Amino acid sequence: MNTRELVLDMLLSLEREEDYSHRLMKAVLDKYDYLDSRDKAFVKRVTEGTLERQLELDYYLDSRSSLSVRKMRPLIRCLLRMSVYQLLYMDSVPDSAVCNEACKLAAKRGFRNLKGFVNGLLRTISKEKENLPLPDEEKEPVKFLSVKYSMPEWLVELWQDEYGREITETILKGLMEIHPVSLRLPSGLSDEHRNVLLSRMESAGAKLTVSRYLPYVYLLTRGEFSSLPGFEEGLCTVQDVSSALAVEAAEIGETDFVIDVCAAPGGKSILAAEKARAGKVLARDISEEKICRTEENISRMKAENIETEVHDGTLTDEELVGKADVVLLDVPCSGLGVMGKKRDIKYRVTRERAEGLTELQKRIVRASVPYVKPGGTLVYSTCTIHRQENEDMVRFITEVLGLEPVSLTGVLPKSLLGEKKHLQNILCRAGKECGIGLTDAQREACIQLLPGYMEADGFFIARFRRKK
């Protein structure tokens, strides 16, 4: 199996937007499970690295090519991108091998006449890779950050307007860092059983580091989660600490009735069920496909007090009005906070699409608020970094829908709230306001997790109470 050809075919599929990178990667690695672990690692590294640095790679190619990247044939464009990534970021691969293999692939895929173009361009970049240009930082500061961190200019501008230059560059660096898989162990597991399980995983070759926020979440920095001891037994599941923190923010009681409105793939529902041991969780989502994925995780984790249903979150279910102690509302969003794991999001989302999502979010929130019983809790969350989808929604929930903001102090870890305060100080120094337009009570009820500052995905959490 030609691993470079596998990478090329994945990049072509992603350019045609036939799938999302994280799903396609899993499908391909599952299909070619017989490959040597080093070959799998190569496929994963080159595909994800090429996607992550696509804007930067295109800038370098355009600077040295007589034909712009945009006008190239899709196969040649993808082939050159993946080859330049190897030249610049994979010292273990000889430059000559990169150039030769690219020419062979071009010929094999019907572009023998372009072998000279591919070879010449790659060898030029190989010779000049220590001196490839970036935009002038003084004259074009936005473009400089856009190319250096391979982020669309509109996103750089968005975050600079909201957070200032210093925080924006830290966010961009944070999104470019390696993002290990997060494993959550059952929250009620005893220290003894937890240590035995961790010992089994480490004996199988895994390297795990405990999250600095929650003692039952671990970062898997080495190993494949699906083959770990305990995974198939339901003793761990993939869930980022930010998602677990959203459940922690709800302070779920043992007998509570919890509605998870947008539940797939089920991580929050399962954790909520662990906390509501004598209660019940209703996990809903909009399609059979999403509910099937949720049910697979529920079954593997052996969570018995969860019921699943297909339901459109924009429609109020009158039978549930005033019934829920807790409503979890992790709404569909632009996903700007998880671009470090889902690398093609930044090329698909647009400013207009991100802004358009807020209307859908408002419809879901408006339909879900009636489920909360008097005195009950609603936790709103997203996996994005966008004030229109986050802080603006806090105002909508409190000022239009009438819920009370509830402070996260004493609910979320002190270390995390300390990092929030640190961010506020940086914002003040930059002349930016934290939580523009929010009251003090509204600010205390929400937190924006930022890559580069927090050890988590870019995630937003806000807590509210329905008045008695």
Side-chain angles (χ1 to χ4, degrees):
M1 175 56 61
N2 187 325
T3 52
R4 285 183 171 85
E5 194 164 13
L6 272 183
V7 174
L8 178 59
D9 285 335
M10 277 196 281
L11 292 175
L12 281 166
S13 177
L14 292 169
E15 180 158 294
R16 293 190 293 264
E17 296 190 1
E18 293 174 350
D19 205 343
Y20 284 93
S21 60
H22 61 291
R23 295 198 305 220
L24 181 61
M25 180 64 68
K26 182 181 185 306
V28 169
L29 293 183
D30 285 348
K31 180 178 179 180
Y32 297 97
D33 190 48
Y34 58 82
L35 287 174
D36 181 271
S37 59
R38 289 172 297 181
D39 287 337
K40 287 182 181 178
F42 177 84
V43 168
K44 193 171 190 295
R45 168 84 185 274
V46 177
T47 305
E48 292 181 347
T50 302
L51 279 175
E52 189 165 57
R53 297 205 174 256
Q54 181 174 303
L55 291 177
E56 178 192 10
L57 302 174
D58 285 359
Y59 186 82
Y60 295 145
L61 283 165
D62 278 337
S63 74
R64 296 294 181 265
S65 173
S66 57
L67 182 68
S68 72
V69 172
R70 183 173 55 83
K71 293 181 178 179
M72 291 177 186
R73 296 288 186 92
L75 186 139
I76 297 299
R77 178 165 55 236
C78 291
L79 180 59
L80 286 170
R81 284 170 176 165
M82 61 182 273
S83 300
V84 174
Y85 176 79
Q86 292 169 73
L87 291 174
L88 300 183
Y89 292 104
M90 296 183 71
D91 293 337
S92 60
V93 183
D95 288 7
S96 58
V98 173
C99 297
N100 292 338
E101 291 300 319
C103 290
K104 288 179 186 178
L105 260 181
K108 181 180 178 181
R109 300 297 286 266
F111 292 95
R112 185 175 296 275
N113 61 321
L114 292 178
K115 279 176 59 179
F117 172 74
V118 169
N119 186 56
L121 184 51
L122 292 180
R123 292 193 182 279
T124 296
I125 289 177
S126 172
K127 290 176 186 175
E128 301 179 14
K129 62 182 179 181
E130 301 301 327
N131 299 301
L132 290 171
L134 283 172
D136 188 302
E137 187 174 4
E138 295 297 322
K139 295 179 180 177
E140 300 179 287
V142 170
K143 189 172 184 178
F144 172 81
L145 290 180
S146 171
V147 173
K148 183 177 180 181
Y149 297 104
S150 206
M151 187 66 64
E153 289 186 33
W154 77 268
L155 276 173
V156 176
E157 291 173 341
L158 175 77
W159 289 335
Q160 281 201 156
D161 288 345
E162 294 183 356
Y163 297 107
R165 168 94 181 193
E166 179 183 349
I167 292 178
T168 295
E169 187 158 13
T170 302
I171 293 171
L172 295 171
K173 287 178 183 176
L175 287 169
M176 294 291 277
E177 290 171 358
I178 293 172
H179 294 265
V181 171
S182 294
L183 290 180
R184 184 182 70 75
L185 278 53
S187 57
L189 206 62
S190 68
D191 290 343
E192 180 182 356
H193 286 124
R194 185 180 301 165
N195 291 335
V196 169
L197 178 59
L198 292 173
S199 179
R200 287 174 61 199
M201 291 178 171
E202 288 167 355
S203 296
K207 185 175 181 181
L208 295 153
T209 307
V210 67
S211 162
R212 64 181 188 231
Y213 306 130
L214 295 174
Y216 55 81
V217 176
Y218 289 79
L219 302 178
L220 180 65
T221 54
R222 186 179 66 226
E224 174 58 40
F225 70 86
S226 60
S227 60
L228 287 179
F231 184 79
E232 290 301 329
E233 303 162 54
L235 294 175
C236 64
T237 190
V238 175
Q239 184 176 17
D240 192 78
V241 69
S242 55
S243 171
L245 287 166
V247 180
E248 290 289 340
E251 283 193 302
I252 296 169
E254 286 193 7
T255 60
D256 280 354
F257 173 43
V258 181
I259 301 176
D260 191 352
V261 177
C262 306
K268 290 185 298 303
S269 294
I270 295 167
L271 180 54
E274 292 174 15
K275 294 181 175 296
R277 287 175 290 183
K280 176 185 172 184
V281 176
L282 177 59
R284 289 177 153 183
D285 221 306
I286 194 167
S287 69
E288 289 283 358
E289 186 270 334
K290 289 192 173 189
I291 288 299
C292 282
R293 280 196 292 136
T294 303
E295 288 174 342
E296 287 173 5
N297 288 319
I298 290 171
S299 175
R300 186 177 55 79
M301 293 296 289
K302 301 175 179 64
E304 297 179 352
N305 55 332
I306 304 181
E307 181 182 339
T308 61
E309 288 181 353
V310 175
H311 183 78
D312 183 346
T314 64
L315 305 175
T316 301
D317 183 344
E318 297 298 332
E319 292 185 4
L320 293 176
V321 170
K323 300 287 181 64
D325 297 287
V326 173
V327 170
L328 299 177
L329 210 50
D330 190 18
V331 296
C333 68
S334 56
L336 304 180
V338 292
M339 290 187 291
K341 292 177 179 173
K342 301 177 181 179
R343 293 162 177 82
D344 46 339
I345 286 177
K346 59 186 174 184
Y347 307 120
R348 299 190 183 202
V349 72
T350 62
R351 185 188 295 270
E352 293 74 25
R353 184 178 174 187
E355 291 173 352
L357 278 167
T358 58
E359 288 308 310
L360 173 62
Q361 291 160 355
K362 286 180 179 180
R363 288 172 62 200
I364 294 173
V365 173
R366 194 184 291 274
S368 303
V369 164
Y371 301 148
V372 186
K373 66 170 57 172
T377 297
L378 182 142
V379 172
Y380 174 88
S381 60
T382 71
C383 57
T384 196
I385 309 167
H386 184 206
R387 283 183 173 163
Q388 195 168 326
E389 298 177 72
N390 293 337
E391 287 91 344
D392 287 359
M393 291 299 293
V394 170
R395 289 203 297 273
F396 175 73
I397 292 169
T398 55
E399 296 169 11
V400 177
L401 301 182
L403 271 63
E404 294 178 324
V406 179
S407 175
L408 295 172
T409 302
V411 178
L412 295 186
K414 288 183 180 179
S415 60
L416 182 61
L417 296 177
E419 290 167 5
K420 175 186 175 182
K421 187 173 182 180
H422 173 63
L423 265 173
Q424 290 173 337
N425 292 335
I426 297 174
L427 279 165
C428 287
R429 290 202 304 270
K432 300 288 182 179
E433 184 182 347
C434 177
I436 291 176
L438 298 184
T439 66
D440 289 343
Q442 289 168 335
R443 288 193 187 96
E444 290 296 311
C446 63
I447 184 169
Q448 174 71 70
L449 309 185
L450 292 178
Y453 290 97
M454 282 88 165
E455 190 182 85
D457 289 338
F459 208 84
F460 183 81
I461 302 168
R463 185 185 183 193
F464 308 92
R465 180 188 299 116
R466 187 171 185 179
K467 298 173 184 177
K468 293 183 178 180

